[in-house]
Structures are given as structure tokens and as C-alpha cells.
Amino acid sequence: MKDYNFFSVFEQKQSSRGTQIAKAALAALLVVALVAGAYIWLTVKYNDTVAQTDEINEFLASPSAQAAMQQADEYSNNISALNRYKNMIDEAAKNLELGHLFSSRVMDDIASALPSGAQIFTLNVQPDGALIMVVSVPDLATAARLTDAIDNLACTRDISVGTAIYLETSRTYTVTLNAYLTGGEEQ
Amino acid sequence: MKVSKRDLILLIAVLFIGVSYVLAMFVFKPIINKIDDAQQTLEQTQARRDKYLATVGNLENLATQQNTANDEAMAAAQQFLPEAAYDNVIWFFNTLAQSEDISIDAVSFSGPEIKQTLTAGLEDGSISAALDNIGNTVRENLGRGEPLSVSEYLPMYGAADTALTCLTVTVEVADVSYDKAMGVIRYIEQYGRKIYPESVTFSLNAKTTAGRVDATIDYSFYYVVKPDVTDAGMQQVQPGANYGTDNPFR
């Protein structure tokens, strides 16, 4: 009959169960440690992010940073206002230029276009650019040349003749010419 | 009750899943959300800091841009006179008469009147207030004297904002040569300011020798309020030698 060591078998069973429990406990501890470690890491990360934000905010709220920002805002506002002011001025100047048609050039042009024998009695320019000339000429041929010359000037448009009256005393014709200075239609 | 090994494993698995779910939903998810929010806030704050650093780094450039904008605005405004002053206009025609060797028969005034209100359309206030600030900033930077208040000029013309103002001056010359009369017109054209002849009348002077004329010209002198008062405008009246009398009617 073969002998069996029943105690040894029991010991082996006892040892195997204890190891299993120990392994299970170790595994559980490991899981708990991992979970706790992850939680702690996340908390540290959160606190670190908040701390970074607070640090930047504190820097941005410092008097020196605020003063620099205020200075930059002031410069920007000034630049904007000055550019708008310049645009307004340029626009106003342009409108004035378009609205004013008379200059010494007009007189020079008229003087250079007068035919021989013609003499201006009066010349009147109105604010709207209307030009009225009363001119003395020796004959109707000169009156026609005068009308043609004034009509062909670059600075006049819409010319019309009011009257051409013969004066017995001076033996000349007095011609009334009406026209408009050019440029007014651009307003 | 005897629990089989299979049941035990199942039980442990269920417990593991349950605990994992509870941990994920009630422990990790909230803190991850908080981290996301904090990260977003940090990114926004960093963006503000970057913008600030860029702005501060550009401060000198902004100052230069402001000075350039000021110079350009002043150059544009230079064509306009800064203030409608009767005494200086009379002095101007006195200088003109001496320069052109001509006798001016009459100088008469009408106005000043506001021709146009120049509105800048600033969102944060009127152009006048803005110009006050700019003027004073520029003057401070350049170490100039008294503070400026553009707004002080405006009630003078009854304007609520920066205005284009016009003073009409009628100048009359009589019995002068055509060249002298044209000299008046050319002198004012070459003066380099916004002074325009509105209406002009030349007529032959019938009482004297042929070729001499009478001329009446209505001039508009245009003015704008300027943020920098360094533009002195028309030549200032020069003081005479003596002032004061015992009898102002003598």
C-alpha cells in the first residue's frame, strides 16, 4: 500500500490560495494606485493651467501693462481720427475746387481770343459760373468773330448772343454775350 | 451558498465595470471638463498676452504712424486758413496793395458763415473732442506751450462740430490798369490758401483814359478748425509806433 502525505497536500492547497489572494490584492492595489495617480496627475495639470492663467492675468492687469495698452489705444484712436479728418479736408477741398470756376486763366483766355478792334466794356462772372460780357466792336463781322472766338474757348460753354446794337454816336456795335464757364457741370 | 469560480470571475468583472463607470463619470469626467475649460481660458489669456506684447512691441511704430498721420492731416489742412480774423484780412489787403502798388478803394465783409459741417463719423465721440486730444498729445510730445481746445472755436461760429467756415470779402479797385487789377487776382491765387473769387465784375472806367478799369471781386476765404495751432494763418497785424490820445474825436 502506497503512503500519502495528506498534510503536504493540504499545505500545498493552503499556499496556493494565499498566493492567489495576495496576487488579487496586489492587482487591486495597483489599479487603485493607477486610478489615484491619474486623478492626482489631472488635478496637478488643472492647477497648473489655472496658475498659468492667473499669472498672465496678473501681468496684464499690472499698472505698466495697462498704461502701455492705454497708450496704444490712444495712438490708434488718434490715427483713426486724423485720417478721418484728412479725408474730410480733402473732400471739402475737392468740392470747393469743383465749385469755383473763375481764375486769372479765364481772363487770359478771353483776352487772347478777342479779335482786333473789340473792346470789353464790362465783364461779369456770377457764382454759378454765368459769364456776361458787353463788348464794343467796329462792325458785325468783328461781332461774329468775337462770338466764334469766345465759343471756341476751352473755358466757356453754352454761349449765346443777347444783343448787337449799333450806336450812332460812336459808330460801333455793342454786343452782349452770355456764356457759362466750364467745370460747373461736374458739381 | 457555494459560489463557483466562474460566477466569482463574472461578479468581479461586473464590479470592475461598475466601479470604472462610476470613476469615469463622476471623478474623471468632471476634472477633464474642468481642465478643458481651464485650457481654453489659458489659450484666450495667452492670446491677449500675445496681442499685448505685439502692441507694446509696435508702440514706437504707432507713435510714428500718429505723427505721420498728424503731418499729413496738417499738410491737407494747410490749404485752409485756421481762423476768420477781420483784422488780419484787412492787413492782408494792405500788404497786397503795397506789393502790387495798387490803391484798394474798399474792403467789405459778410459772414463768417458755416458752409459745411465736417463730421468724422467717429463712434466714440465728435471729431472736435478727438482733435482736442490729438492736438494736446502732439503738442505735449513736441514740447509746445498752451493746451489747445478746438471746441473753443466752435461756439464762435455756432457750430456743433468741426466746420468749414467762410468769410466773404468784397474788394473794390477803381481806375487802375488792367494789369494792376489782374495783379490782385494773381496775388491771391498764389497765396496758396482756399480763397476763391465768387463773383467778378470788370468794367471799363469811362471817366479816364481808355484801358483803365474798375473791378469788384467777391472773395470767399475758407477756414477750418485744425488740431494743431502751429498754423499762424494770415500774416498778423503789425503793431504801430504810437497808441493813445487825449481826445479821441480830435
Side-chain angles (χ1 to χ4, degrees):
Chain A
M1 187 180 164
K2 196 174 180 180
D3 288 337
Y4 286 94
N5 186 349
F6 288 103
F7 186 74
S8 172
V9 171
F10 176 75
E11 252 190 350
Q12 278 177 2
K13 278 188 178 177
Q14 280 289 87
S15 169
S16 167
R17 193 174 188 82
T19 306
Q20 279 181 349
I21 290 169
K23 280 179 181 175
L26 196 63
L29 268 175
L30 194 64
V31 168
V32 168
L34 275 174
V35 168
Y39 184 79
I40 289 166
W41 181 77
L42 288 172
T43 306
V44 168
K45 185 174 167 58
Y46 171 74
N47 288 339
D48 185 49
T49 308
V50 170
Q52 279 186 57
T53 307
D54 289 346
E55 192 182 347
I56 295 171
N57 277 331
E58 197 177 331
F59 168 69
L60 290 174
S62 68
S64 62
Q66 287 290 306
M69 288 301 279
Q70 200 176 346
Q71 181 73 72
D73 285 347
E74 192 177 322
Y75 282 147
S76 297
N77 289 339
N78 288 352
I79 291 165
S80 169
L82 283 164
N83 286 338
R84 287 167 190 269
Y85 176 81
K86 181 183 178 297
N87 291 340
M88 290 187 317
I89 295 291
D90 286 343
E91 185 70 20
K94 187 180 157 194
N95 288 338
L96 285 177
E97 201 66 41
L98 286 173
H100 292 88
L101 312 173
F102 180 82
S103 68
S104 58
R105 184 183 55 82
V106 171
M107 294 301 293
D108 293 343
D109 287 354
I110 290 172
S112 65
L114 280 186
S116 177
Q119 179 188 25
I120 297 177
F121 281 168
T122 63
L123 181 149
N124 175 253
V125 178
Q126 296 294 310
D128 64 354
L131 169 70
I132 304 162
M133 291 170 63
V134 179
V135 187
S136 169
V137 292
D139 47 46
L140 285 177
T142 308
R145 288 190 200 101
L146 169 73
T147 306
D148 179 60
I150 299 298
D151 192 26
N152 287 327
L153 285 177
C155 64
T156 58
R157 63 179 171 89
D158 299 341
I159 189 166
S160 62
V161 178
T163 55
I165 301 171
Y166 182 71
L167 295 178
E168 191 66 48
T169 50
S170 60
R171 296 186 176 183
T172 57
Y173 285 85
T174 300
V175 180
T176 306
L177 291 176
N178 301 294
Y180 281 92
L181 298 181
T182 49
E185 66 273 17
E186 293 171 31
Q187 287 181 76
Chain B
M1 189 180 71
K2 190 177 179 183
V3 180
S4 68
K5 193 174 178 182
R6 186 171 164 274
D7 290 343
L8 190 64
I9 290 168
L10 201 62
L11 186 64
I12 289 169
V14 168
L15 264 175
F16 181 78
I17 290 168
V19 169
S20 297
Y21 178 77
V22 168
L23 280 173
M25 292 303 294
F26 298 105
V27 177
F28 286 99
K29 192 179 176 189
I31 196 164
I32 286 170
N33 286 343
K34 279 171 75 178
I35 288 171
D36 283 346
D37 290 347
Q39 195 65 39
Q40 276 185 12
T41 309
L42 176 62
E43 283 168 11
Q44 288 167 0
T45 312
Q46 282 172 332
R48 278 176 53 216
R49 182 195 56 192
D50 292 346
K51 188 180 169 190
Y52 163 79
L53 291 174
T55 305
V56 169
N58 197 36
L59 212 52
E60 199 173 325
N61 186 30
L62 276 175
T64 307
Q65 279 182 39
Q66 179 195 254
N67 292 340
T68 304
N70 184 67
D71 290 346
E72 287 175 357
M74 289 310 97
Q78 182 65 28
Q79 57 195 315
F80 289 94
L81 291 159
E83 191 183 1
Y86 295 93
D87 51 352
N88 291 338
V89 172
I90 296 170
W91 190 259
F92 168 78
F93 279 106
N94 174 60
T95 309
L96 183 157
Q98 288 175 350
S99 169
E100 297 300 309
D101 188 24
I102 191 172
S103 174
I104 291 176
D105 282 14
V107 177
S108 49
F109 294 89
S110 169
E113 61 175 317
I114 293 169
K115 288 288 184 183
Q116 187 185 345
T117 302
L118 305 172
T119 51
L122 291 179
E123 291 172 3
D124 55 349
S126 72
I127 185 73
S128 306
L131 293 181
D132 274 356
N133 292 334
I134 296 162
N136 288 324
T137 305
V138 173
R139 290 171 67 76
E140 198 177 307
N141 290 345
L142 298 177
R144 290 179 187 150
E146 293 298 310
L148 162 76
S149 178
V150 170
S151 312
E152 281 178 12
Y153 288 91
L154 301 175
M156 196 187 301
Y157 311 130
D161 210 332
T162 303
L164 177 64
T165 310
C166 175
L167 180 66
T168 302
V169 184
T170 302
V171 57
E172 295 175 37
V173 293
D175 190 16
V176 295
S177 70
Y178 175 71
D179 282 346
K180 292 280 182 193
M182 287 303 293
V184 174
I185 293 172
R186 291 199 170 94
Y187 183 94
I188 294 174
E189 281 177 352
Q190 288 161 13
Y191 190 66
R193 301 283 192 158
K194 288 292 178 194
I195 305 171
Y196 287 104
E198 296 290 346
S199 65
V200 182
T201 302
F202 277 89
S203 49
L204 183 67
N205 186 295
K207 294 177 185 172
T208 57
T209 53
R212 296 184 73 79
V213 296
D214 301 335
T216 302
I217 308 168
D218 291 334
Y219 274 107
S220 288
F221 286 63
Y222 286 94
Y223 302 81
V224 291
V225 176
K226 302 184 179 189
D228 190 345
V229 292
T230 52
D231 182 0
M234 307 188 87
Q235 188 187 2
Q236 303 295 298
V237 176
Q238 301 300 306
N242 298 307
Y243 291 93
T245 176
D246 293 336
N247 180 359
F249 294 96
R250 185 176 57 190

